[in-house]
Amino acid sequence: MSDPFYQLQWQLLVDPQLTARQVQIWIATLACRVPDIAGNKWLKLKYHIQQIQQHNKKGILSFGGAFSNHLVALAAAGKHFGFATVGIVRSHQADLHNPTLQRCTELGMQLKFVSPEQYRNRQHAEFVAELCTLYPDYLMVPEGGSSPLALPGLAEPPILQTPSGSASLISCATASGGTLAGLSAAHPTTAVLGISVVKDASLPDRIRQLVPVDAPQNWQLRQEQSQKPYGKFTPQTLQFCLDLTQQQIYTEPVYSGKALQSLVLWAQQGDFAPGSHIAFFHTGGLQGLAGLYYRGLINQQQYQQLQPQVNAADPAE
Ligand SMILES: Cc1ncc(COP(=O)(O)O)c(C=O)c1O
């Protein structure tokens, strides 16, 4: 199904070692009419939104960390399509100067802060019942938007059709698993490689629960190579992202940049057969750069270089 809400754009990653290995990595980016919902966000949210519209629900409640791309995307979708949004945020303190939470608030999202411990127990019946009482008539969507309703949206972009032929492998950054599950279910005869940017032993099981039981096991999960915990990155990963901007490829070092760096290293060391065409799905998340700058994890010059726009505004201004 074509969806005028976004456009699929392709870029070939140029690297002499990949050329020598006869491996192509094509980056598939979804430019969305509402930029805050770019990447995998719109695809995962689309059928949740359809569900609340069909059932006349007031809005969507979901969960995320203090710098969550998913919460910003949900807030932006609520503003654009006219439904209410609630974000349950894993944070001791309500820091509304944090650019992500500031953006969520500007977009009309109601935020509720819970301790990391309460957040860990977010699926406990007692907490769910409390949220249902506080926010009746909301569809509750898990962290990252990874519910079975996330899957059909991921089947829609023609991600297999790279400009130089059919992809032999699809790959993406993986955290809560919905994107990998959706791509795998949508392309049952193609290998799909999720590159985990989190250290979470329960992730394979959670993906198995999302993928339809009768679907072929065409997916594989591999830990990103830097071995850094979620949200942290090495100077090499940041440099990789900065270097990519010379090819007009814009990533951030927590999700897509970190995953793509692993993919390139594995390709350079010969893990993929000559002739491989890899479609790497860029899952968005560039809003997170402002949060990295806010926390001093990247400097102003790096922040500006990593933005697609030439003269990105300083979020502190
Ligand atoms: C930018 C970005 N990339 C990748 C992912 C991982 O996707 P998933 O949670 O569906 O595994 C996320 C989280 O949703 C994200 O925000």
Side-chain angles (χ1 to χ4, degrees):
M1 182 177 118
S2 85
D3 181 340
F5 202 60
Y6 65 76
Q7 236 192 341
L8 184 63
Q9 295 166 349
W10 290 100
Q11 285 169 289
L12 179 65
L13 190 144
V14 177
D15 178 287
Q17 291 188 60
L18 298 193
T19 310
R21 294 251 179 216
Q22 296 172 48
V23 171
Q24 291 187 2
I25 297 182
W26 283 96
I27 296 160
T29 304
L30 282 193
C32 191
R33 209 175 329 139
V34 179
D36 281 319
I37 328 180
N40 57 352
K41 306 289 169 278
W42 166 243
L43 303 179
K44 290 203 280 185
L45 284 173
K46 183 174 180 180
Y47 289 93
H48 291 103
I49 296 169
Q50 197 181 79
Q51 172 110 334
I52 61 162
Q53 288 168 339
Q54 280 169 356
H55 293 86
N56 286 320
K57 292 235 173 231
K58 183 169 178 191
I60 295 181
L61 174 151
S62 193
F63 305 83
F67 295 92
S68 165
N69 297 316
H70 164 63
L71 288 185
V72 172
L74 176 59
K79 170 109 180 157
H80 185 80
F81 293 102
F83 61 87
T85 55
V86 173
I88 309 297
V89 184
R90 183 190 56 229
S91 179
H92 276 303
Q93 269 182 327
D95 173 12
L96 293 175
H97 297 298
N98 155 344
T100 298
L101 298 180
Q102 210 171 46
R103 185 88 187 115
C104 287
T105 308
E106 275 165 19
L107 290 164
M109 176 175 264
Q110 194 183 337
L111 300 175
K112 178 178 165 60
F113 294 88
V114 299
S115 69
E117 195 200 347
Q118 201 173 9
Y119 190 88
R120 254 193 310 280
N121 296 332
R122 65 191 175 278
Q123 280 163 347
H124 284 191
E126 228 173 89
F127 186 51
V128 171
E130 184 191 323
L131 291 177
C132 289
T133 310
L134 279 174
Y135 306 104
D137 220 17
Y138 278 76
L139 176 68
M140 207 177 286
V141 173
E143 183 180 64
S146 289
S147 86
L149 274 179
L151 271 59
L154 282 146
E156 291 177 2
I159 202 115
L160 267 185
Q161 294 157 27
T162 80
S164 71
S166 196
S168 50
L169 177 74
I170 301 172
S171 185
C172 63
T174 299
S176 62
T179 307
L180 174 57
L183 291 174
S184 140
H187 306 288
T189 57
T190 306
V192 184
L193 173 65
I195 304 174
S196 179
V197 296
V198 294
K199 290 188 171 173
D200 178 356
S202 70
L203 187 54
D205 274 345
R206 290 199 280 135
I207 296 167
R208 264 175 229 118
Q209 279 163 21
L210 283 171
V211 176
V213 272
D214 52 350
Q217 292 294 301
N218 58 330
W219 61 272
Q220 192 199 340
L221 191 62
R222 195 167 168 185
Q223 191 67 32
E224 63 84 19
Q225 57 79 38
S226 80
Q227 301 290 335
K228 280 286 193 185
Y230 169 70
K232 303 269 192 305
F233 48 88
T234 61
Q236 291 79 4
T237 299
L238 177 58
Q239 193 55 51
F240 175 82
C241 297
L242 290 165
D243 290 347
L244 280 184
T245 64
Q246 285 162 17
Q247 297 186 40
Q248 281 78 49
I249 295 170
Y250 295 93
T251 57
E252 43 64 51
V254 173
Y255 289 98
S256 280
K258 204 183 226 184
L260 190 53
Q261 185 197 20
S262 296
L263 190 67
V264 169
L265 281 172
W266 296 332
Q268 288 171 341
Q269 73 191 27
D271 288 10
F272 306 114
S276 295
H277 268 54
I278 305 174
F280 178 80
F281 178 37
H282 188 321
T283 40
L286 294 182
Q287 76 80 30
L289 290 168
L292 298 180
Y293 177 41
Y294 177 72
R295 285 173 285 170
L297 298 173
I298 55 175
N299 65 32
Q300 185 185 25
Q301 196 194 346
Q302 291 163 338
Y303 171 71
Q304 290 183 330
Q305 189 179 335
L306 291 167
Q307 301 286 327
Q309 304 85 357
V310 181
N311 293 313
D314 184 336
E317 281 166 6

